[in-house]
Amino acid sequence: MITLVLASSSPYRRELLSRFKLPFDVFSPDIDESPYIGENAKEISVRLAREKAFKVAPHYSNSLIIGSDQTAECQDQIIEKPNTHELAIKQLQLLSGKVVTFYTSLCLLNTQTKKLQECVVDFEVKYKELNLEIINSYLLKEQPYNCVGSVKSEGLGITLLDYIKGEDPTALIGLPLIKLSNMLRNESVTF
């Protein structure tokens, strides 16, 4: 029996993967997520998803390792997790009224066959015009400090957005389940 492993410390990815009703292990890859010089948001996302899977692979034989990463970009500026209330305020002020592209990369590594499947799911999000009162109220209720773009679209963050455009809403949360289900089927996983 092949083991399914989520290479992530994200509670959001763990919740999303549990929707498949399949048993899986979780292993935090503990990698440096700093961007390389000259790397754009999409390239960072692809590299980090792959690095997470390969970092966890030596700990599991006969396994399918899922690596995923999300970055975002607005007007050629990389958008990251704010990590603090103060930085989230600044980030939401910066993103107010703007379109942001989120890149959610997915990597599935079969540790037995060494087969690697990869993809990136793009998602376009337009933030509403946000004033400080709206921003503070949202941040105090949701506390999305570990979320790229300071927004939890699956929660109250949806009220900060004018629209979202993408093929898989779970990609915006952090793990594109439509693409992942196809990759798992390619590995003969049944649901």
Side-chain angles (χ1 to χ4, degrees):
M1 180 80 176
I2 198 157
T3 304
L4 191 60
V5 182
L6 179 62
S8 178
S9 57
S10 167
Y12 311 112
R13 289 191 181 102
R14 186 176 304 135
E15 185 279 324
L16 286 167
L17 185 56
S18 71
R19 294 181 189 184
F20 283 163
K21 308 290 186 210
L22 296 170
F24 64 92
D25 289 352
V26 177
F27 194 102
S28 180
D30 191 32
I31 62 168
D32 180 3
E33 297 191 15
S34 303
Y36 293 161
I37 294 171
E39 215 175 18
N40 67 36
K42 193 172 198 172
E43 292 166 340
I44 294 166
S45 178
V46 170
R47 175 179 58 80
L48 293 177
R50 188 180 303 133
E51 282 182 15
K52 289 174 184 179
F54 278 95
K55 177 84 182 246
V56 170
H59 301 276
Y60 290 89
S61 59
N62 194 30
S63 297
L64 295 173
I65 311 291
I66 301 164
S68 185
D69 190 76
Q70 184 179 75
T71 57
E73 189 172 63
C74 180
Q75 299 174 336
D76 297 323
Q77 182 177 349
I78 296 170
I79 308 300
E80 301 182 71
K81 297 174 186 174
N83 296 316
T84 69
H85 184 82
E86 294 73 24
L87 290 176
I89 289 172
K90 289 180 183 176
Q91 189 171 79
L92 288 172
Q93 287 174 325
L94 172 76
L95 300 178
S96 175
K98 295 190 175 97
V99 174
V100 178
T101 304
F102 286 78
Y103 302 102
T104 307
S105 292
L106 179 63
C107 172
L108 184 69
L109 172 64
N110 184 320
T111 60
Q112 186 174 30
T113 65
K114 308 301 183 221
K115 180 181 176 185
L116 183 68
Q117 298 178 68
E118 295 179 286
C119 72
V120 182
V121 179
D122 299 0
F123 224 99
E124 185 180 286
V125 171
K126 172 120 185 335
Y127 284 72
K128 290 179 179 173
E129 293 288 338
L130 306 171
N131 62 37
L132 191 55
E133 183 182 346
I134 291 169
I135 290 170
N136 265 318
S137 174
Y138 166 70
L139 292 176
L140 292 172
K141 291 173 186 167
E142 194 79 273
Q143 301 180 5
Y145 309 125
N146 62 347
C147 298
V148 172
S150 303
V151 68
K152 286 185 184 178
S153 64
E154 70 277 22
L156 189 58
I158 201 72
T159 65
L160 303 183
L161 307 177
D162 270 337
Y163 67 79
I164 58 175
K165 288 183 186 176
E167 57 189 51
D168 182 350
T170 59
L172 189 55
I173 302 169
L175 188 65
L177 294 183
I178 293 172
K179 294 288 188 187
L180 180 56
S181 66
N182 294 335
M183 288 179 176
L184 290 172
R185 282 190 179 98
N186 291 341
E187 291 289 347
S188 302
V189 172
T190 56
F191 298 92

